Structures are given as C-alpha cells and as structure tokens.
PDB file of all heavy atoms in Angstrom:
ATOM      1  N   GLN N 952      -7.809  -8.941  -4.072  1.00 94.00           N
ATOM      2  CA  GLN N 952      -6.996  -9.271  -5.243  1.00 94.00           C
ATOM      3  C   GLN N 952      -7.071  -8.149  -6.282  1.00 94.00           C
ATOM      4  O   GLN N 952      -6.063  -7.777  -6.879  1.00 94.00           O
ATOM      5  CB  GLN N 952      -7.453 -10.592  -5.849  1.00 94.00           C
ATOM      6  CG  GLN N 952      -6.606 -11.052  -7.008  1.00 94.00           C
ATOM      7  CD  GLN N 952      -7.059 -12.404  -7.544  1.00 94.00           C
ATOM      8  OE1 GLN N 952      -8.129 -12.908  -7.204  1.00 94.00           O
ATOM      9  NE2 GLN N 952      -6.247 -12.989  -8.387  1.00 94.00           N
ATOM     10  N   ALA N 953      -8.255  -7.615  -6.485  1.00 93.00           N
ATOM     11  CA  ALA N 953      -8.419  -6.511  -7.435  1.00 93.00           C
ATOM     12  C   ALA N 953      -7.642  -5.294  -6.959  1.00 93.00           C
ATOM     13  O   ALA N 953      -6.971  -4.614  -7.754  1.00 93.00           O
ATOM     14  CB  ALA N 953      -9.902  -6.170  -7.601  1.00 93.00           C
ATOM     15  N   ARG N 954      -7.682  -5.008  -5.673  1.00 92.00           N
ATOM     16  CA  ARG N 954      -6.939  -3.872  -5.116  1.00 92.00           C
ATOM     17  C   ARG N 954      -5.445  -4.075  -5.314  1.00 92.00           C
ATOM     18  O   ARG N 954      -4.724  -3.171  -5.704  1.00 92.00           O
ATOM     19  CB  ARG N 954      -7.264  -3.720  -3.635  1.00 92.00           C
ATOM     20  CG  ARG N 954      -6.703  -2.433  -3.030  1.00 92.00           C
ATOM     21  CD  ARG N 954      -5.886  -2.756  -1.791  1.00 92.00           C
ATOM     22  NE  ARG N 954      -5.441  -1.547  -1.135  1.00 92.00           N
ATOM     23  CZ  ARG N 954      -4.230  -1.034  -1.298  1.00 92.00           C
ATOM     24  NH1 ARG N 954      -3.372  -1.598  -2.096  1.00 92.00           N
ATOM     25  NH2 ARG N 954      -3.861   0.050  -0.662  1.00 92.00           N
ATOM     26  N   ASP N 955      -4.966  -5.286  -5.025  1.00 92.00           N
ATOM     27  CA  ASP N 955      -3.542  -5.587  -5.192  1.00 92.00           C
ATOM     28  C   ASP N 955      -3.121  -5.470  -6.654  1.00 92.00           C
ATOM     29  O   ASP N 955      -1.977  -5.132  -6.948  1.00 92.00           O
ATOM     30  CB  ASP N 955      -3.225  -6.979  -4.659  1.00 92.00           C
ATOM     31  CG  ASP N 955      -3.360  -7.081  -3.146  1.00 92.00           C
ATOM     32  OD1 ASP N 955      -3.416  -6.029  -2.468  1.00 92.00           O
ATOM     33  OD2 ASP N 955      -3.426  -8.227  -2.644  1.00 92.00           O
ATOM     34  N   GLY N 956      -4.057  -5.726  -7.552  1.00 92.00           N
ATOM     35  CA  GLY N 956      -3.769  -5.622  -8.980  1.00 92.00           C
ATOM     36  C   GLY N 956      -3.485  -4.199  -9.434  1.00 92.00           C
ATOM     37  O   GLY N 956      -2.961  -3.981 -10.529  1.00 92.00           O
ATOM     38  N   LEU N 957      -3.812  -3.223  -8.607  1.00 90.00           N
ATOM     39  CA  LEU N 957      -3.547  -1.826  -8.951  1.00 90.00           C
ATOM     40  C   LEU N 957      -2.067  -1.469  -8.834  1.00 90.00           C
ATOM     41  O   LEU N 957      -1.657  -0.397  -9.276  1.00 90.00           O
ATOM     42  CB  LEU N 957      -4.381  -0.891  -8.073  1.00 90.00           C
ATOM     43  CG  LEU N 957      -5.892  -0.974  -8.294  1.00 90.00           C
ATOM     44  CD1 LEU N 957      -6.619  -0.149  -7.241  1.00 90.00           C
ATOM     45  CD2 LEU N 957      -6.255  -0.509  -9.684  1.00 90.00           C
ATOM     46  N   ASP N 958      -1.272  -2.361  -8.273  1.00 89.00           N
ATOM     47  CA  ASP N 958       0.162  -2.100  -8.167  1.00 89.00           C
ATOM     48  C   ASP N 958       0.835  -2.120  -9.534  1.00 89.00           C
ATOM     49  O   ASP N 958       1.767  -1.349  -9.775  1.00 89.00           O
ATOM     50  CB  ASP N 958       0.828  -3.118  -7.244  1.00 89.00           C
ATOM     51  CG  ASP N 958       0.408  -2.943  -5.788  1.00 89.00           C
ATOM     52  OD1 ASP N 958      -0.078  -1.844  -5.432  1.00 89.00           O
ATOM     53  OD2 ASP N 958       0.556  -3.900  -5.012  1.00 89.00           O
ATOM     54  N   ASP N 959       0.374  -2.981 -10.427  1.00 92.00           N
ATOM     55  CA  ASP N 959       0.973  -3.052 -11.768  1.00 92.00           C
ATOM     56  C   ASP N 959       0.801  -1.747 -12.548  1.00 92.00           C
ATOM     57  O   ASP N 959       1.785  -1.239 -13.091  1.00 92.00           O
ATOM     58  CB  ASP N 959       0.408  -4.234 -12.560  1.00 92.00           C
ATOM     59  CG  ASP N 959       0.905  -5.569 -12.035  1.00 92.00           C
ATOM     60  OD1 ASP N 959       1.992  -5.619 -11.419  1.00 92.00           O
ATOM     61  OD2 ASP N 959       0.195  -6.575 -12.234  1.00 92.00           O
ATOM     62  N   PRO N 960      -0.401  -1.179 -12.612  1.00 93.00           N
ATOM     63  CA  PRO N 960      -0.526   0.099 -13.311  1.00 93.00           C
ATOM     64  C   PRO N 960       0.335   1.200 -12.684  1.00 93.00           C
ATOM     65  O   PRO N 960       0.856   2.057 -13.393  1.00 93.00           O
ATOM     66  CB  PRO N 960      -2.015   0.448 -13.197  1.00 93.00           C
ATOM     67  CG  PRO N 960      -2.701  -0.850 -12.975  1.00 93.00           C
ATOM     68  CD  PRO N 960      -1.714  -1.693 -12.216  1.00 93.00           C
ATOM     69  N   GLU N 961       0.507   1.166 -11.380  1.00 91.00           N
ATOM     70  CA  GLU N 961       1.340   2.176 -10.717  1.00 91.00           C
ATOM     71  C   GLU N 961       2.788   2.056 -11.174  1.00 91.00           C
ATOM     72  O   GLU N 961       3.447   3.066 -11.445  1.00 91.00           O
ATOM     73  CB  GLU N 961       1.250   2.030  -9.199  1.00 91.00           C
ATOM     74  CG  GLU N 961       2.018   3.080  -8.428  1.00 91.00           C
ATOM     75  CD  GLU N 961       1.470   4.486  -8.561  1.00 91.00           C
ATOM     76  OE1 GLU N 961       0.243   4.644  -8.525  1.00 91.00           O
ATOM     77  OE2 GLU N 961       2.270   5.420  -8.712  1.00 91.00           O
ATOM     78  N   ARG N 962       3.285   0.823 -11.283  1.00 93.00           N
ATOM     79  CA  ARG N 962       4.653   0.619 -11.764  1.00 93.00           C
ATOM     80  C   ARG N 962       4.790   1.077 -13.213  1.00 93.00           C
ATOM     81  O   ARG N 962       5.772   1.724 -13.581  1.00 93.00           O
ATOM     82  CB  ARG N 962       5.055  -0.852 -11.644  1.00 93.00           C
ATOM     83  CG  ARG N 962       5.511  -1.242 -10.249  1.00 93.00           C
ATOM     84  CD  ARG N 962       6.136  -2.627 -10.234  1.00 93.00           C
ATOM     85  NE  ARG N 962       5.185  -3.676 -10.538  1.00 93.00           N
ATOM     86  CZ  ARG N 962       4.384  -4.247  -9.653  1.00 93.00           C
ATOM     87  NH1 ARG N 962       4.406  -3.862  -8.410  1.00 93.00           N
ATOM     88  NH2 ARG N 962       3.561  -5.196 -10.012  1.00 93.00           N
ATOM     89  N   LEU N 963       3.813   0.731 -14.036  1.00 93.00           N
ATOM     90  CA  LEU N 963       3.849   1.147 -15.443  1.00 93.00           C
ATOM     91  C   LEU N 963       3.778   2.663 -15.563  1.00 93.00           C
ATOM     92  O   LEU N 963       4.460   3.263 -16.400  1.00 93.00           O
ATOM     93  CB  LEU N 963       2.703   0.493 -16.216  1.00 93.00           C
ATOM     94  CG  LEU N 963       2.788  -1.017 -16.386  1.00 93.00           C
ATOM     95  CD1 LEU N 963       1.493  -1.556 -16.993  1.00 93.00           C
ATOM     96  CD2 LEU N 963       3.977  -1.394 -17.236  1.00 93.00           C
ATOM     97  N   LEU N 964       2.971   3.283 -14.741  1.00 93.00           N
ATOM     98  CA  LEU N 964       2.854   4.735 -14.750  1.00 93.00           C
ATOM     99  C   LEU N 964       4.193   5.382 -14.394  1.00 93.00           C
ATOM    100  O   LEU N 964       4.605   6.365 -15.013  1.00 93.00           O
ATOM    101  CB  LEU N 964       1.766   5.182 -13.774  1.00 93.00           C
ATOM    102  CG  LEU N 964       1.521   6.685 -13.676  1.00 93.00           C
ATOM    103  CD1 LEU N 964       1.100   7.258 -15.023  1.00 93.00           C
ATOM    104  CD2 LEU N 964       0.464   6.957 -12.619  1.00 93.00           C
ATOM    105  N   ALA N 965       4.890   4.818 -13.430  1.00 92.00           N
ATOM    106  CA  ALA N 965       6.205   5.345 -13.057  1.00 92.00           C
ATOM    107  C   ALA N 965       7.179   5.233 -14.225  1.00 92.00           C
ATOM    108  O   ALA N 965       7.974   6.153 -14.476  1.00 92.00           O
ATOM    109  CB  ALA N 965       6.739   4.602 -11.839  1.00 92.00           C
ATOM    110  N   GLU N 966       7.106   4.137 -14.957  1.00 93.00           N
ATOM    111  CA  GLU N 966       7.972   3.958 -16.125  1.00 93.00           C
ATOM    112  C   GLU N 966       7.650   4.986 -17.210  1.00 93.00           C
ATOM    113  O   GLU N 966       8.549   5.574 -17.810  1.00 93.00           O
ATOM    114  CB  GLU N 966       7.833   2.543 -16.683  1.00 93.00           C
ATOM    115  CG  GLU N 966       8.424   1.475 -15.791  1.00 93.00           C
ATOM    116  CD  GLU N 966       8.147   0.076 -16.310  1.00 93.00           C
ATOM    117  OE1 GLU N 966       7.776  -0.092 -17.493  1.00 93.00           O
ATOM    118  OE2 GLU N 966       8.313  -0.879 -15.512  1.00 93.00           O
ATOM    119  N   VAL N 967       6.365   5.210 -17.454  1.00 92.00           N
ATOM    120  CA  VAL N 967       5.951   6.193 -18.461  1.00 92.00           C
ATOM    121  C   VAL N 967       6.399   7.588 -18.041  1.00 92.00           C
ATOM    122  O   VAL N 967       6.918   8.358 -18.855  1.00 92.00           O
ATOM    123  CB  VAL N 967       4.420   6.140 -18.683  1.00 92.00           C
ATOM    124  CG1 VAL N 967       3.932   7.337 -19.472  1.00 92.00           C
ATOM    125  CG2 VAL N 967       4.033   4.849 -19.381  1.00 92.00           C
ATOM    126  N   ALA N 968       6.222   7.921 -16.781  1.00 92.00           N
ATOM    127  CA  ALA N 968       6.621   9.238 -16.288  1.00 92.00           C
ATOM    128  C   ALA N 968       8.123   9.438 -16.437  1.00 92.00           C
ATOM    129  O   ALA N 968       8.578  10.508 -16.872  1.00 92.00           O
ATOM    130  CB  ALA N 968       6.200   9.402 -14.827  1.00 92.00           C
ATOM    131  N   SER N 969       8.884   8.416 -16.117  1.00 92.00           N
ATOM    132  CA  SER N 969      10.340   8.505 -16.232  1.00 92.00           C
ATOM    133  C   SER N 969      10.772   8.650 -17.694  1.00 92.00           C
ATOM    134  O   SER N 969      11.630   9.477 -18.017  1.00 92.00           O
ATOM    135  CB  SER N 969      10.986   7.258 -15.613  1.00 92.00           C
ATOM    136  OG  SER N 969      12.379   7.304 -15.764  1.00 92.00           O
ATOM    137  N   ALA N 970      10.171   7.859 -18.568  1.00 93.00           N
ATOM    138  CA  ALA N 970      10.507   7.936 -19.992  1.00 93.00           C
ATOM    139  C   ALA N 970      10.136   9.301 -20.565  1.00 93.00           C
ATOM    140  O   ALA N 970      10.881   9.872 -21.379  1.00 93.00           O
ATOM    141  CB  ALA N 970       9.798   6.821 -20.766  1.00 93.00           C
ATOM    142  N   THR N 971       9.006   9.831 -20.144  1.00 93.00           N
ATOM    143  CA  THR N 971       8.585  11.151 -20.622  1.00 93.00           C
ATOM    144  C   THR N 971       9.549  12.231 -20.148  1.00 93.00           C
ATOM    145  O   THR N 971       9.938  13.112 -20.915  1.00 93.00           O
ATOM    146  CB  THR N 971       7.151  11.466 -20.148  1.00 93.00           C
ATOM    147  OG1 THR N 971       6.278  10.438 -20.630  1.00 93.00           O
ATOM    148  CG2 THR N 971       6.673  12.810 -20.662  1.00 93.00           C
ATOM    149  N   ASP N 972       9.960  12.130 -18.898  1.00 92.00           N
ATOM    150  CA  ASP N 972      10.914  13.087 -18.350  1.00 92.00           C
ATOM    151  C   ASP N 972      12.245  13.012 -19.112  1.00 92.00           C
ATOM    152  O   ASP N 972      12.821  14.043 -19.465  1.00 92.00           O
ATOM    153  CB  ASP N 972      11.130  12.817 -16.859  1.00 92.00           C
ATOM    154  CG  ASP N 972      12.023  13.845 -16.207  1.00 92.00           C
ATOM    155  OD1 ASP N 972      11.743  15.050 -16.359  1.00 92.00           O
ATOM    156  OD2 ASP N 972      13.000  13.448 -15.543  1.00 92.00           O
ATOM    157  N   ASP N 973      12.702  11.801 -19.368  1.00 94.00           N
ATOM    158  CA  ASP N 973      13.952  11.629 -20.130  1.00 94.00           C
ATOM    159  C   ASP N 973      13.839  12.225 -21.530  1.00 94.00           C
ATOM    160  O   ASP N 973      14.762  12.895 -22.007  1.00 94.00           O
ATOM    161  CB  ASP N 973      14.316  10.146 -20.231  1.00 94.00           C
ATOM    162  CG  ASP N 973      14.737   9.533 -18.904  1.00 94.00           C
ATOM    163  OD1 ASP N 973      14.996  10.299 -17.947  1.00 94.00           O
ATOM    164  OD2 ASP N 973      14.773   8.288 -18.821  1.00 94.00           O
ATOM    165  N   THR N 974      12.710  12.000 -22.177  1.00 94.00           N
ATOM    166  CA  THR N 974      12.501  12.528 -23.526  1.00 94.00           C
ATOM    167  C   THR N 974      12.439  14.051 -23.507  1.00 94.00           C
ATOM    168  O   THR N 974      13.006  14.718 -24.383  1.00 94.00           O
ATOM    169  CB  THR N 974      11.218  11.941 -24.144  1.00 94.00           C
ATOM    170  OG1 THR N 974      11.335  10.505 -24.159  1.00 94.00           O
ATOM    171  CG2 THR N 974      11.009  12.428 -25.567  1.00 94.00           C
ATOM    172  N   ALA N 975      11.777  14.611 -22.514  1.00 94.00           N
ATOM    173  CA  ALA N 975      11.712  16.072 -22.389  1.00 94.00           C
ATOM    174  C   ALA N 975      13.113  16.647 -22.220  1.00 94.00           C
ATOM    175  O   ALA N 975      13.452  17.674 -22.841  1.00 94.00           O
ATOM    176  CB  ALA N 975      10.827  16.462 -21.203  1.00 94.00           C
ATOM    177  N   LYS N 976      13.939  16.010 -21.422  1.00 95.00           N
ATOM    178  CA  LYS N 976      15.318  16.468 -21.237  1.00 95.00           C
ATOM    179  C   LYS N 976      16.115  16.391 -22.536  1.00 95.00           C
ATOM    180  O   LYS N 976      16.937  17.275 -22.817  1.00 95.00           O
ATOM    181  CB  LYS N 976      15.996  15.653 -20.146  1.00 95.00           C
ATOM    182  CG  LYS N 976      15.483  15.978 -18.758  1.00 95.00           C
ATOM    183  CD  LYS N 976      16.114  15.085 -17.713  1.00 95.00           C
ATOM    184  CE  LYS N 976      15.525  15.375 -16.337  1.00 95.00           C
ATOM    185  NZ  LYS N 976      16.003  14.431 -15.333  1.00 95.00           N
ATOM    186  N   GLN N 977      15.870  15.346 -23.320  1.00 96.00           N
ATOM    187  CA  GLN N 977      16.567  15.217 -24.608  1.00 96.00           C
ATOM    188  C   GLN N 977      16.167  16.349 -25.553  1.00 96.00           C
ATOM    189  O   GLN N 977      17.022  16.936 -26.217  1.00 96.00           O
ATOM    190  CB  GLN N 977      16.264  13.857 -25.247  1.00 96.00           C
ATOM    191  CG  GLN N 977      16.911  12.698 -24.521  1.00 96.00           C
ATOM    192  CD  GLN N 977      16.436  11.350 -25.053  1.00 96.00           C
ATOM    193  OE1 GLN N 977      15.593  11.282 -25.943  1.00 96.00           O
ATOM    194  NE2 GLN N 977      16.968  10.280 -24.486  1.00 96.00           N
ATOM    195  N   PHE N 978      14.874  16.649 -25.605  1.00 96.00           N
ATOM    196  CA  PHE N 978      14.426  17.756 -26.451  1.00 96.00           C
ATOM    197  C   PHE N 978      15.010  19.084 -25.970  1.00 96.00           C
ATOM    198  O   PHE N 978      15.410  19.916 -26.783  1.00 96.00           O
ATOM    199  CB  PHE N 978      12.899  17.829 -26.516  1.00 96.00           C
ATOM    200  CG  PHE N 978      12.301  16.927 -27.551  1.00 96.00           C
ATOM    201  CD1 PHE N 978      11.636  15.760 -27.189  1.00 96.00           C
ATOM    202  CD2 PHE N 978      12.390  17.230 -28.904  1.00 96.00           C
ATOM    203  CE1 PHE N 978      11.091  14.926 -28.142  1.00 96.00           C
ATOM    204  CE2 PHE N 978      11.843  16.406 -29.868  1.00 96.00           C
ATOM    205  CZ  PHE N 978      11.192  15.242 -29.488  1.00 96.00           C
ATOM    206  N   ALA N 979      15.069  19.271 -24.661  1.00 95.00           N
ATOM    207  CA  ALA N 979      15.642  20.503 -24.117  1.00 95.00           C
ATOM    208  C   ALA N 979      17.121  20.613 -24.489  1.00 95.00           C
ATOM    209  O   ALA N 979      17.594  21.691 -24.863  1.00 95.00           O
ATOM    210  CB  ALA N 979      15.461  20.549 -22.606  1.00 95.00           C
ATOM    211  N   ALA N 980      17.834  19.501 -24.398  1.00 96.00           N
ATOM    212  CA  ALA N 980      19.258  19.507 -24.746  1.00 96.00           C
ATOM    213  C   ALA N 980      19.480  19.828 -26.224  1.00 96.00           C
ATOM    214  O   ALA N 980      20.507  20.394 -26.596  1.00 96.00           O
ATOM    215  CB  ALA N 980      19.888  18.158 -24.404  1.00 96.00           C
ATOM    216  N   LEU N 981      18.511  19.500 -27.049  1.00 96.00           N
ATOM    217  CA  LEU N 981      18.596  19.783 -28.490  1.00 96.00           C
ATOM    218  C   LEU N 981      18.091  21.191 -28.819  1.00 96.00           C
ATOM    219  O   LEU N 981      18.047  21.580 -29.981  1.00 96.00           O
ATOM    220  CB  LEU N 981      17.792  18.753 -29.286  1.00 96.00           C
ATOM    221  CG  LEU N 981      18.332  17.320 -29.244  1.00 96.00           C
ATOM    222  CD1 LEU N 981      17.328  16.362 -29.882  1.00 96.00           C
ATOM    223  CD2 LEU N 981      19.692  17.229 -29.925  1.00 96.00           C
ATOM    224  N   GLY N 982      17.681  21.920 -27.795  1.00 96.00           N
ATOM    225  CA  GLY N 982      17.214  23.288 -28.009  1.00 96.00           C
ATOM    226  C   GLY N 982      15.736  23.402 -28.316  1.00 96.00           C
ATOM    227  O   GLY N 982      15.254  24.476 -28.669  1.00 96.00           O
ATOM    228  N   ASN N 983      15.005  22.329 -28.187  1.00 96.00           N
ATOM    229  CA  ASN N 983      13.558  22.332 -28.438  1.00 96.00           C
ATOM    230  C   ASN N 983      12.811  22.506 -27.113  1.00 96.00           C
ATOM    231  O   ASN N 983      12.105  21.617 -26.647  1.00 96.00           O
ATOM    232  CB  ASN N 983      13.122  21.035 -29.132  1.00 96.00           C
ATOM    233  CG  ASN N 983      13.663  20.904 -30.528  1.00 96.00           C
ATOM    234  OD1 ASN N 983      13.657  21.870 -31.272  1.00 96.00           O
ATOM    235  ND2 ASN N 983      14.146  19.720 -30.869  1.00 96.00           N
ATOM    236  N   GLU N 984      12.985  23.692 -26.533  1.00 95.00           N
ATOM    237  CA  GLU N 984      12.397  23.971 -25.220  1.00 95.00           C
ATOM    238  C   GLU N 984      10.880  23.892 -25.214  1.00 95.00           C
ATOM    239  O   GLU N 984      10.282  23.460 -24.233  1.00 95.00           O
ATOM    240  CB  GLU N 984      12.836  25.349 -24.729  1.00 95.00           C
ATOM    241  CG  GLU N 984      14.244  25.398 -24.219  1.00 95.00           C
ATOM    242  CD  GLU N 984      14.450  24.553 -22.969  1.00 95.00           C
ATOM    243  OE1 GLU N 984      13.529  24.451 -22.141  1.00 95.00           O
ATOM    244  OE2 GLU N 984      15.537  23.979 -22.848  1.00 95.00           O
ATOM    245  N   GLU N 985      10.263  24.320 -26.299  1.00 96.00           N
ATOM    246  CA  GLU N 985       8.798  24.319 -26.341  1.00 96.00           C
ATOM    247  C   GLU N 985       8.254  22.894 -26.232  1.00 96.00           C
ATOM    248  O   GLU N 985       7.324  22.628 -25.466  1.00 96.00           O
ATOM    249  CB  GLU N 985       8.301  24.992 -27.617  1.00 96.00           C
ATOM    250  CG  GLU N 985       6.801  25.216 -27.619  1.00 96.00           C
ATOM    251  CD  GLU N 985       6.335  26.026 -28.818  1.00 96.00           C
ATOM    252  OE1 GLU N 985       7.151  26.719 -29.458  1.00 96.00           O
ATOM    253  OE2 GLU N 985       5.127  25.950 -29.105  1.00 96.00           O
ATOM    254  N   ILE N 986       8.848  21.982 -27.000  1.00 95.00           N
ATOM    255  CA  ILE N 986       8.413  20.580 -26.927  1.00 95.00           C
ATOM    256  C   ILE N 986       8.699  20.024 -25.539  1.00 95.00           C
ATOM    257  O   ILE N 986       7.861  19.333 -24.952  1.00 95.00           O
ATOM    258  CB  ILE N 986       9.101  19.738 -28.012  1.00 95.00           C
ATOM    259  CG1 ILE N 986       8.623  20.174 -29.400  1.00 95.00           C
ATOM    260  CG2 ILE N 986       8.827  18.247 -27.803  1.00 95.00           C
ATOM    261  CD1 ILE N 986       9.379  19.542 -30.551  1.00 95.00           C
ATOM    262  N   ALA N 987       9.883  20.326 -25.025  1.00 95.00           N
ATOM    263  CA  ALA N 987      10.255  19.833 -23.701  1.00 95.00           C
ATOM    264  C   ALA N 987       9.277  20.316 -22.646  1.00 95.00           C
ATOM    265  O   ALA N 987       8.862  19.546 -21.760  1.00 95.00           O
ATOM    266  CB  ALA N 987      11.670  20.283 -23.358  1.00 95.00           C
ATOM    267  N   GLN N 988       8.880  21.587 -22.748  1.00 95.00           N
ATOM    268  CA  GLN N 988       7.938  22.154 -21.780  1.00 95.00           C
ATOM    269  C   GLN N 988       6.566  21.496 -21.884  1.00 95.00           C
ATOM    270  O   GLN N 988       5.948  21.173 -20.865  1.00 95.00           O
ATOM    271  CB  GLN N 988       7.820  23.673 -21.986  1.00 95.00           C
ATOM    272  CG  GLN N 988       6.996  24.373 -20.945  1.00 95.00           C
ATOM    273  CD  GLN N 988       7.656  24.347 -19.576  1.00 95.00           C
ATOM    274  OE1 GLN N 988       8.849  24.145 -19.438  1.00 95.00           O
ATOM    275  NE2 GLN N 988       6.852  24.541 -18.553  1.00 95.00           N
ATOM    276  N   VAL N 989       6.104  21.289 -23.096  1.00 94.00           N
ATOM    277  CA  VAL N 989       4.802  20.631 -23.289  1.00 94.00           C
ATOM    278  C   VAL N 989       4.834  19.231 -22.690  1.00 94.00           C
ATOM    279  O   VAL N 989       3.904  18.825 -21.970  1.00 94.00           O
ATOM    280  CB  VAL N 989       4.421  20.575 -24.790  1.00 94.00           C
ATOM    281  CG1 VAL N 989       3.236  19.656 -25.020  1.00 94.00           C
ATOM    282  CG2 VAL N 989       4.128  21.972 -25.317  1.00 94.00           C
ATOM    283  N   LEU N 990       5.897  18.498 -22.966  1.00 93.00           N
ATOM    284  CA  LEU N 990       6.013  17.143 -22.416  1.00 93.00           C
ATOM    285  C   LEU N 990       6.056  17.161 -20.895  1.00 93.00           C
ATOM    286  O   LEU N 990       5.360  16.376 -20.241  1.00 93.00           O
ATOM    287  CB  LEU N 990       7.271  16.452 -22.952  1.00 93.00           C
ATOM    288  CG  LEU N 990       7.242  15.992 -24.398  1.00 93.00           C
ATOM    289  CD1 LEU N 990       8.609  15.475 -24.810  1.00 93.00           C
ATOM    290  CD2 LEU N 990       6.184  14.925 -24.596  1.00 93.00           C
ATOM    291  N   ALA N 991       6.852  18.048 -20.353  1.00 90.00           N
ATOM    292  CA  ALA N 991       7.015  18.089 -18.896  1.00 90.00           C
ATOM    293  C   ALA N 991       5.719  18.458 -18.182  1.00 90.00           C
ATOM    294  O   ALA N 991       5.313  17.796 -17.222  1.00 90.00           O
ATOM    295  CB  ALA N 991       8.126  19.065 -18.524  1.00 90.00           C
ATOM    296  N   VAL N 992       5.056  19.489 -18.659  1.00 91.00           N
ATOM    297  CA  VAL N 992       3.828  19.951 -17.992  1.00 91.00           C
ATOM    298  C   VAL N 992       2.676  18.979 -18.211  1.00 91.00           C
ATOM    299  O   VAL N 992       1.995  18.581 -17.250  1.00 91.00           O
ATOM    300  CB  VAL N 992       3.450  21.368 -18.483  1.00 91.00           C
ATOM    301  CG1 VAL N 992       2.078  21.771 -17.966  1.00 91.00           C
ATOM    302  CG2 VAL N 992       4.509  22.377 -18.044  1.00 91.00           C
ATOM    303  N   ALA N 993       2.459  18.585 -19.451  1.00 84.00           N
ATOM    304  CA  ALA N 993       1.339  17.681 -19.745  1.00 84.00           C
ATOM    305  C   ALA N 993       1.516  16.340 -19.054  1.00 84.00           C
ATOM    306  O   ALA N 993       0.570  15.810 -18.459  1.00 84.00           O
ATOM    307  CB  ALA N 993       1.188  17.495 -21.246  1.00 84.00           C
ATOM    308  N   ALA N 994       2.724  15.809 -19.110  1.00 85.00           N
ATOM    309  CA  ALA N 994       2.960  14.508 -18.484  1.00 85.00           C
ATOM    310  C   ALA N 994       2.742  14.584 -16.983  1.00 85.00           C
ATOM    311  O   ALA N 994       2.122  13.709 -16.393  1.00 85.00           O
ATOM    312  CB  ALA N 994       4.365  14.020 -18.799  1.00 85.00           C
ATOM    313  N   LYS N 995       3.240  15.645 -16.361  1.00 86.00           N
ATOM    314  CA  LYS N 995       3.061  15.773 -14.917  1.00 86.00           C
ATOM    315  C   LYS N 995       1.582  15.863 -14.560  1.00 86.00           C
ATOM    316  O   LYS N 995       1.120  15.169 -13.665  1.00 86.00           O
ATOM    317  CB  LYS N 995       3.800  16.999 -14.378  1.00 86.00           C
ATOM    318  CG  LYS N 995       3.679  17.118 -12.871  1.00 86.00           C
ATOM    319  CD  LYS N 995       4.186  18.431 -12.357  1.00 86.00           C
ATOM    320  CE  LYS N 995       4.019  18.581 -10.868  1.00 86.00           C
ATOM    321  NZ  LYS N 995       2.799  18.121 -10.275  1.00 86.00           N
TER     322      LYS N 995
END
C-alpha cells in the first residue's frame, strides 16, 4: 500500500514539471531568456 501510494507524488511531480515548462516558455516569449533558462534547467 505504501509503495502504491508513491503514484500520487509522481502525478503531482508531472504536473509541476509541466507547469514549470509552460512558465519558462512564457518568460522566453516575453524575452526573459535568463529566467526561462533558470526555470528550465533547475526544474529539470
């Protein structure tokens, strides 16, 4: 049961990774490449 419970954090992690990627793309589109790069590399 404890092992199966690890599926929830994995789903949440995927959501955080996706949101971070989306935010990095938004910053890049606004010309804030440095912020976008920090988000992309650190998040990954």
Side-chain angles (χ1 to χ4, degrees):
Q952 184 177 12
R954 189 233 185 262
D955 292 345
L957 294 172
D958 291 340
D959 289 335
E961 183 67 42
R962 278 190 294 275
L963 293 172
L964 180 60
E966 290 174 16
V967 167
S969 178
T971 302
D972 185 52
D973 291 347
T974 302
K976 288 176 183 174
Q977 290 172 358
F978 275 106
L981 293 171
N983 293 317
E984 284 295 326
E985 189 174 341
I986 293 172
Q988 187 67 20
V989 168
L990 287 174
V992 171
K995 183 190 178 319

